[in-house]
C-alpha cells in the first residue's frame, strides 16, 4: 500500500511565549488582539526565535526522531517560514538535512494580521539563517500575509 505518514510538530517555546508567561506571573491581563498590554503585540518580538527552553524542547524531540526506524523517517519536511518553527524543525530533523527536502510554506504558519510575533522576517534574511531550507514556494520577500 502506498501510505504516507504525516508528523505535525509544534514549535518550542518562543520569546513571545516567555513574555506572555512573565506577564501572567506579574498579574498583567490583556485582551486577545487588543494592543494595550498585549505581550504578543510588542513590536520588538516580531518573528521571535526560540528561548533556551524552546531549544531544549526541540532537542528532546530530536532524540525521539533518532530512535525512529529508517523506513518511518520523513521524506519531506515542511516548515512554517517563522523563525521559531524553522529552528524547531531543523533541530528536530537535523539528521535528515541534506537527505530530504526542507521546504518553507506560508500555509504552515500561525494566523496572521494582529500579533507582531506572527509577522515573518523577510525571506532574504531567513535564507541566511536557514540555508538548508528551500524558500522557493514563498512568493514575496516581505510578509504579504500579515
Amino acid at each position: 500500500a502506498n501510505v504516507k505518514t504525516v508528523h505535525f510538530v509544534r514549535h518550542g517555546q518562543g520569546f513571545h511565549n516567555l513574555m506572555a508567561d512573565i506577564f501572567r506571573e506579574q498579574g498583567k491581563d490583556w485582551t486577545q488582539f487588543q494592543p494595550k498590554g498585549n505581550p504578543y503585540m510588542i513590536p520588538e518580538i516580531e518573528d521571535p526565535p526560540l528561548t533556551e527552553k524552546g531549544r531544549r524542547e526541540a532537542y528532546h524531540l530530536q532524540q525521539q526522531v533518532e530512535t525512529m526506524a529508517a523506513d518511518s523517517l520523513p521524506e519531506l519536511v515542511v516548515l512554517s517560514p517563522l523563525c521559531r518553527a524553522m529552528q524547531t524543525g531543523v533541530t528536530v530533523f537535523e539528521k535528515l538535512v541534506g537527505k530530504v527536502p526542507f521546504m518553507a510554506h506560508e500555509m504552515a504558519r500561525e494566523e496572521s494580521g494582529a500579533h507582531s510575533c506572527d509577522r515573518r522576517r523577510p525571506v532574504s534574511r531567513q535564507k541566511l539563517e536557514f540555508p538548508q531550507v528551500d524558500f522557493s514556494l514563498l512568493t514575496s520577500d516581505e510578509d504579504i500575509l500579515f
Side-chain angles (χ1 to χ4, degrees):
N2 190 8
V3 176
K4 300 289 182 187
T5 301
V6 178
H7 303 271
F8 289 95
V9 177
R10 176 120 171 106
H11 64 77
Q13 183 191 55
F15 273 94
H16 63 301
N17 302 124
L18 176 61
M19 292 296 297
D21 290 346
I22 291 170
F23 274 47
R24 281 187 206 96
E25 288 171 8
Q26 294 177 348
K28 296 180 180 178
D29 291 323
W30 70 89
T31 303
Q32 186 77 335
F33 304 116
Q34 298 299 314
K36 185 176 180 178
N38 188 330
Y40 297 118
M41 298 180 92
I42 298 171
E44 291 80 11
I45 62 165
E46 181 177 291
D47 196 4
L50 295 176
T51 61
E52 178 59 31
K53 177 182 178 182
R55 290 189 296 275
R56 284 194 314 268
E57 291 168 340
Y59 285 122
H60 176 75
L61 191 53
Q62 181 190 67
Q63 292 170 356
Q64 294 179 29
V65 170
E66 295 288 331
T67 66
M68 291 174 69
D71 63 347
S72 64
L73 288 170
E75 298 172 26
L76 169 69
V77 177
V78 179
L79 306 162
S80 159
L82 295 173
C83 179
R84 59 193 177 264
M86 289 190 292
Q87 285 178 312
T88 301
V90 168
T91 299
V92 169
F93 297 107
E94 182 178 45
K95 77 184 232 172
L96 300 177
V97 172
K99 298 175 183 168
V100 303
F102 280 64
M103 302 284 303
H105 198 292
E106 293 280 22
M107 294 296 106
R109 64 184 280 191
E110 302 274 350
E111 293 180 50
S112 300
H115 297 146
S116 57
C117 61
D118 297 333
R119 179 184 312 200
R120 73 164 166 79
R121 300 172 191 177
V123 170
S124 55
R125 184 169 164 204
Q126 298 290 53
K127 283 181 178 180
L128 295 173
E129 194 168 341
F130 302 99
Q132 63 278 68
V133 176
D134 180 347
F135 292 90
S136 63
L137 296 176
L138 278 65
T139 59
S140 174
D141 189 47
E142 297 298 324
D143 188 348
I144 58 174
L145 297 180
F146 193 83

